[in-house]
Structure formats: structure tokens, C-alpha cells
Amino acid sequence: RALLILEVGHPTEGSFIFTCTNQHIQEPNDRLPMITRLSPEPIEMPQMHEEISLRLMCKLCGLYGNTNVERNHPANFLGRAIDIVVNAKDGIIFYEIKTYNTLIQSIRAAIGQLMEYAHWSRQNRANKLVIVTQRHRVETEGINYIRYIRSKYQLPLFYQSFDQTTGDLSEQY
């Protein structure tokens, strides 16, 4: 049985190699054992979310003034609430806090929510969308990913991390 390999581009990171193995798929056989692969579930930490939310709000009030920062602001549809909304000099900023145990899961979940909050009404409701997570050991890949998405799709999407030990908020990436 020959194996046909079709390469898309050069076999580098991010490229795909198609092996056409789906041509030999057979119907399940009742006599064969079922094999299930379980991957670790991402875990969001609600207590950490609450702590970051409160401390971030205080920090943002110091930067923008108490009357320009609102926590758990109604999104005005489907009972949703935006973690933090800031009325900045340059326009409205939406902050979405995610505290999953992996940075990629936090980014994945936050992007969908921020896009929903900003555009569900088919209007542009925010000038800037910011994902905030706890500090992660390796943030470089996440920062590069956010920069790429911002550039590729011209989205005002940024990332910051909050250090719970020091109370420091990273620069916006």
C-alpha cells in the first residue's frame, strides 16, 4: 500500500502535510475496543479573576480617574457584563480578564468575548480591546500572537498581564 504525501509549501512550522490516510477509513467494528483520549481541561480560577478585577480597577482609577472606570459594566445585550470599561481621552477601552491556567486558553476565550462586546450591536463600541491575565511563565508567544492578529486583521487588540504579588500591570503589547 503506497502512501501519498502532498506538501503545502515547505514543511516548516505552521505548514500542513496531507497524507491521504482518510481513503482507507472503515466503518467501526463492534469487536474493536473504543479508545478515548482525554486532554487536560483548561481551568479558570474565579477567585483569582475577582482579585485581579478589583486591583486592576483601582490601578485604572488612578490612571483615568474614578468617574471614568466601571467594573462589571452592562454590555446591554443578553445580560452580559464587560469586566472593566474605561472612558479614556482617546475613547472607550474594554478590558477582559481571563485566569485560565494556560495563556493560550485565556487569549482564546477573551478574544471572542471582546469581539462580542464591541461588535454584537454591529457598531464599533470600543476603541481598544485589552486582554488581561495573571502572569504566565512564558508570555512571549502570546504577545507575538496578539501582535500578529492586531497587524493581520487591523484589530485594536492588546494584551497585559497583572502580577498579583507586586500589583504591577505590564505594558500593553
Side-chain angles (χ1 to χ4, degrees):
R1 181 164 104 175
L3 180 64
L4 174 63
I5 297 178
L6 302 174
E7 291 187 18
V8 177
H10 299 299
T12 60
E13 184 177 330
S15 67
F16 297 95
I17 297 174
F18 295 89
T19 59
C20 298
T21 57
N22 61 345
Q23 293 175 348
H24 305 288
I25 294 177
Q26 298 174 354
E27 288 296 314
N29 184 334
D30 290 337
R31 293 174 286 165
L32 296 175
M34 292 288 289
I35 298 173
T36 304
R37 292 187 184 149
L38 298 176
S39 58
E41 287 294 317
I43 299 167
E44 187 165 29
M45 297 164 264
Q47 291 170 319
M48 183 186 295
H49 183 285
E50 182 70 10
E51 179 187 339
I52 290 174
S53 179
L54 289 168
R55 292 176 72 189
L56 178 59
M57 184 186 71
C58 290
K59 188 165 283 294
L60 294 173
C61 283
L63 294 171
Y64 298 101
N66 293 347
T67 59
N68 292 314
V69 180
E70 177 99 17
R71 189 169 160 258
N72 297 321
H73 192 290
N76 296 325
F77 63 90
L78 303 173
R80 304 280 202 271
I82 305 161
D83 283 341
I84 298 178
V85 177
V86 172
N87 184 16
K89 203 177 347 176
D90 298 336
I92 301 295
I93 305 170
F94 289 174
Y95 286 84
E96 183 58 32
I97 301 162
K98 289 295 176 203
T99 56
Y100 285 96
N101 55 339
T102 64
L103 180 57
I104 192 168
Q105 183 61 35
S106 290
I107 290 171
R108 178 184 298 151
I111 288 173
Q113 280 185 258
L114 285 166
M115 295 301 289
E116 178 183 287
Y117 298 151
H119 303 292
W120 182 260
S121 63
R122 289 166 300 289
Q123 298 173 6
N124 186 16
R125 299 176 63 208
N127 297 72
K128 189 182 275 190
L129 309 171
V130 182
I131 298 167
V132 178
T133 71
Q134 72 274 26
R135 292 293 314 259
H136 289 273
R137 280 184 287 188
V138 179
E139 290 183 336
T140 306
E141 287 183 32
I143 290 167
N144 290 337
Y145 177 60
I146 294 296
R147 286 178 172 157
Y148 178 76
I149 289 175
R150 184 170 55 244
S151 171
K152 172 86 174 156
Y153 299 105
Q154 303 302 304
L155 293 173
L157 182 66
F158 297 86
Y159 169 76
Q160 289 183 280
S161 62
F162 188 85
D163 187 325
Q164 292 171 268
T165 305
T166 64
D168 290 335
L169 183 63
S170 75
E171 66 178 280
Q172 274 186 4
Y173 298 103

